[in-house]
């Protein structure tokens, strides 16, 4: 089985920073794209940022210049550095990773359980 575990959420003041981490573990053969989504109360889940296995990144317009996604391929980790946080960044953040498990013939995407980020003074 494959598991994703997020960490690093919490309370931050406007203008502050938080760093989210997501660790993939289990019977992993290979990992392709990794990303972060978020869902605010009453809103649909949206893509925040993604990174390919080659390191190419993509960001939502609302976080460009403030958030940075990175990955550690050796440790099966993906990070989201969030700077200049705004109250509208408040949401549950979910890790999403495309993984081929050891006994699988194809890749599927896996989701973490989410970590709450609250931006408030």
């Amino acid at each position: 089985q494959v598991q994703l575990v997020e960490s690093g959420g919490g309370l931050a003041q406007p203008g502050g920073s938080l760093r989210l981490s997501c660790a993939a573990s289990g019977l992993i053969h290979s990992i392709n794209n990794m990303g972060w989504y978020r869902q605010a109360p009453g809103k649909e889940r949206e893509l925040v940022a993604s990174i390919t296995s080659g390191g190419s990144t993509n960001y939502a317009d609302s976080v460009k210049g403030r958030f940075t996604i990175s990955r550690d391929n050796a440790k099966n980790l993906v990070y989201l550095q969030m700077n200049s946080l705004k109250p509208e960044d408040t949401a549950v953040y979910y890790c999403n990773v495309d993984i081929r498990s050891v006994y699988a013939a194809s890749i599927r995407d896996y989701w973490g359980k989410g970590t709450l980020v609250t931006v408030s003074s």
Side-chain angles (χ1 to χ4, degrees):
Q1 294 295 333
V2 172
Q3 286 187 323
L4 299 181
V5 178
E6 301 108 333
S7 60
L11 176 65
Q13 291 189 340
S17 299
L18 285 173
R19 189 192 195 205
L20 305 183
S21 300
C22 174
S25 63
L27 300 175
I28 296 172
H29 176 276
S30 57
I31 295 178
N32 282 9
N33 295 342
M34 307 179 86
W36 290 93
Y37 287 71
R38 67 185 181 187
Q39 188 166 19
K43 295 188 176 181
E44 293 187 353
R45 191 174 297 189
E46 63 175 358
L47 175 67
V48 177
S50 64
I51 184 168
T52 68
S53 57
S56 296
T57 58
N58 179 52
Y59 295 93
D61 287 343
S62 59
V63 307
K64 282 181 181 176
R66 301 189 297 121
F67 291 10
T68 302
I69 190 170
S70 61
R71 61 191 285 171
D72 184 333
N73 291 329
K75 298 181 179 180
N76 294 339
L77 289 163
V78 61
Y79 304 100
L80 186 68
Q81 177 66 44
M82 304 185 293
N83 298 329
S84 302
L85 283 162
K86 304 176 180 180
E88 50 264 42
D89 294 319
T90 295
V92 177
Y93 285 71
Y94 297 90
C95 175
N96 176 259
V97 181
D98 294 337
I99 296 173
R100 178 185 170 190
S101 64
V102 170
Y103 298 112
S106 59
I107 294 171
R108 55 155 286 195
D109 67 329
Y110 290 82
W111 291 88
K113 294 182 178 180
T115 184
L116 178 62
V117 171
T118 303
V119 183
S120 175
S121 55

